[in-house]
Amino acid sequence: MPLAELTEALRRFRDERNWAQFHTLRNLIVSLNLEASEMLELTQWKNDAEMLALLDEPARREALADECADVLLYLLLIADTAGIDLATAAREKLGKNAEKYPVDKAWGSSRKYTELSDPDTPNRA
Amino acid sequence: MPLAELTEALRRFRDERNWAQFHTLRNLIVSLNLEASEMLELTQWKNDAEMLALLDEPARREALADECADVLLYLLLIADTAGIDLATAAREKLGKNAEKYPVDKAWGSSRKYTELSDPDTPNRA
Amino acid sequence: MPLAELTEALRRFRDERNWAQFHTLRNLIVSLNLEASEMLELTQWKNDAEMLALLDEPARREALADECADVLLYLLLIADTAGIDLATAAREKLGKNAEKYPVDKAWGSSRKYTELSDPDTPNRA
Amino acid sequence: MPLAELTEALRRFRDERNWAQFHTLRNLIVSLNLEASEMLELTQWKNDAEMLALLDEPARREALADECADVLLYLLLIADTAGIDLATAAREKLGKNAEKYPVDKAWGSSRKYTELSDPDTPNRA
């Protein structure tokens, strides 16, 4: 199901419930943050190995899939409300990131682009 | 560009920079939360009218599109790392939401599904 | 109860449960974010008038007090773990903010300090 | 400097700048979340050892102290606006937590109180 179809299904879902009145840009962005936070809660007190083990437990794996879905659904509502084409925005942002993080400087480094040429902090790689 | 192509482009971007070592599920989920928060920052101190006006300023509108893109990019990396099909998860979650929020009970109400039949709090509609 | 006493009570609470092993700086910061997000959830779908009305409902008022408390408790654990004196840090930060937001430039404006002298965007006041 | 004095200093800071108009409960809670998120950003891509090393770098240590301070300052504004006594709320919440996490059940376990007696998931300790 492509993004346009999902957006169309979301609009129907919203309008059948008369919820457009609550879907201001600000409210939708708060809700996306709440869903992102519920995803973060799945990581609470867990180290990397425990996170991987979580993927083998069907109930927790489904919980992660549900949180991913919730974030996507609010993201589609935000983009639709703001008149933003999400796929285009993502492709363009990936292009900007490629400029901010040129391969030769960013290779094997987790540093922010603003710190990539800082001479005092050697890359980890 | 469908989600599968974007995911493929993201993998290339990550692997050209030798970044898979940093992309644990936990780190990716933290990063998605940080991007969601940058989107929230665009709403700081603004009321609903000011948020709509923001869409008419090209620089701020592009900032919102960029934050939407950043959230989507991390979401795709999380889904890819966890082996989750994002479009399927979203369609299924929308089905669950339809059950949690039946039209006759949820119409015009912003209450959480756990409070939908609370007799003491009349729906706002 | 001053902050030092609260910190002492928190240490006892943690050590009686053998929880220090989980209280890495990173885990504590994630937990503080989750508590902040639970506070944000109390604002979901609500406008300013509805937020004020919430203060008159004892159950929701207590929920807000509890979330405030949870944020403070994690903040004290973070400061204690990092060896930061919270009250001193707050007093010093207030001093920095006073420099970043001089009264004559910031009066009646909600703009970020980086945009305070932007000639194209008149202050709202 | 006790919390009451800090709150008094914050009120003066706010009123000298005519900022009370922006300090709705909702706006303050959003701002607290943004500050919590800036603290989270200090952990991005870092493991526990790297977080400890951060405490030995004066600039990053000060950044952490500043973020802790920002969270406390917004927390004090929220409590002041809502008429909540923060120290009392924290002491009472610690009491509730002690009931939710009895020592004999919670010892050495990072599980949520709702899962403490789940027979299928043995405590880690």
Side-chain angles (χ1 to χ4, degrees), chain C residues 17 26 46 62 96, chain D residues 17 26 46 62 96 101:
Chain C
R17 285 159 184 77
R26 191 175 149 153
K46 290 196 172 52
E62 187 181 342
K96 290 182 194 177
Chain D
R17 285 159 185 80
R26 190 175 150 151
K46 290 196 171 53
E62 187 181 344
K96 291 182 195 179
Y101 294 94

Side-chain angles (χ1 to χ4, degrees), chain D residues 67-115:
Chain D
E67 299 308 340
C68 286
D70 281 332
V71 170
L72 181 61
L73 296 175
Y74 276 117
L75 192 58
L76 289 168
L77 285 168
I78 290 165
D80 191 44
T81 302
I84 289 168
D85 184 277
L86 201 50
T88 302
R91 205 184 50 229
E92 290 181 357
K93 189 55 168 54
L94 200 51
K96 291 182 195 179
N97 289 351
E99 282 178 38
K100 275 167 34 174
Y101 294 94
V103 169
D104 60 329
K105 285 193 176 174
W107 201 87
S109 164
S110 66
R111 285 193 282 153
K112 210 173 175 172
Y113 69 98
T114 46
E115 299 177 351

Side-chain angles (χ1 to χ4, degrees), chain C residues 1 16-19 22 26 33 36-37 46 61-62 66 70 82-83 91 93 96 101 106-109, chain D residues 1 16-19 26 33 36 46 61-62 66 70 82-83 91 93 96 101 106-109 124:
Chain C
M1 190 189 261
E16 280 170 4
R17 285 159 184 77
N18 188 22
W19 281 358
F22 306 123
R26 191 175 149 153
N33 271 268
S37 186
K46 290 196 172 52
R61 184 195 183 78
E62 187 181 342
D66 278 356
D70 281 331
R91 206 182 50 231
K93 187 57 167 54
K96 290 182 194 177
Y101 294 95
W107 201 87
S109 163
Chain D
M1 189 190 261
E16 281 169 6
R17 285 159 185 80
N18 188 23
W19 280 359
R26 190 175 150 151
N33 271 268
K46 290 196 171 53
R61 183 194 183 78
E62 187 181 344
D66 279 357
D70 281 332
R91 205 184 50 229
K93 189 55 168 54
K96 291 182 195 179
Y101 294 94
W107 201 87
S109 164
R124 265 195 261 165

Side-chain angles (χ1 to χ4, degrees), chain D residues 6-104:
Chain D
L6 263 174
T7 298
E8 191 49 51
L10 268 169
R11 280 190 200 143
R12 272 198 308 275
F13 184 91
R14 175 195 66 196
D15 292 337
E16 281 169 6
R17 285 159 185 80
N18 188 23
W19 280 359
Q21 60 184 310
F22 306 124
H23 284 201
T24 62
L25 209 41
R26 190 175 150 151
N27 278 349
L28 291 172
I29 291 174
V30 164
S31 291
L32 180 140
N33 271 268
L34 295 175
E35 299 299 344
S37 186
E38 289 185 18
M39 203 191 297
L40 186 63
E41 193 180 358
L42 297 176
T43 76
Q44 196 181 21
W45 311 121
K46 290 196 171 53
N47 58 35
D48 289 335
E50 291 165 323
M51 283 304 296
L52 283 182
L54 170 155
L55 295 178
D56 292 328
E57 298 175 44
R60 291 187 193 263
R61 183 194 183 78
E62 187 181 344
L64 177 59
D66 279 357
E67 299 308 340
C68 286
D70 281 332
V71 170
L72 181 61
L73 296 175
Y74 276 117
L75 192 58
L76 289 168
L77 285 168
I78 290 165
D80 191 44
T81 302
I84 289 168
D85 184 277
L86 201 50
T88 302
R91 205 184 50 229
E92 290 181 357
K93 189 55 168 54
L94 200 51
K96 291 182 195 179
N97 289 351
E99 282 178 38
K100 275 167 34 174
Y101 294 94
V103 169
D104 60 329

Side-chain angles (χ1 to χ4, degrees), chain A residues 14 19-32 74 77-82, chain B residues 39-40 43 46-52 55 64 110 124, chain C residues 43-47 50, chain D residues 26:
Chain A
R14 174 194 66 195
W19 280 359
Q21 60 184 310
F22 306 123
H23 283 201
T24 61
L25 208 41
R26 189 176 149 151
N27 279 347
L28 292 171
I29 291 174
V30 164
S31 292
L32 180 139
Y74 276 117
L77 284 168
I78 291 166
D80 191 45
T81 302
Chain B
M39 203 190 297
L40 186 63
T43 77
K46 290 196 173 53
N47 58 36
D48 288 336
E50 290 165 324
M51 283 305 295
L52 284 182
L55 295 178
L64 177 59
S110 64
R124 264 195 264 166
Chain C
T43 77
Q44 196 180 21
W45 310 122
K46 290 196 172 52
N47 59 34
E50 290 165 322
Chain D
R26 190 175 150 151

Side-chain angles (χ1 to χ4, degrees), chain A residues 16-17 19, chain B residues 98-113 115-118 121-125:
Chain A
E16 281 170 4
R17 284 159 186 78
W19 280 359
Chain B
E99 283 178 37
K100 275 163 41 171
Y101 294 94
V103 168
D104 60 330
K105 285 193 178 173
W107 200 87
S109 165
S110 64
R111 285 194 282 153
K112 208 170 175 173
Y113 69 98
E115 299 177 349
L116 273 185
S117 30
D118 178 341
T121 322
N123 278 16
R124 264 195 264 166

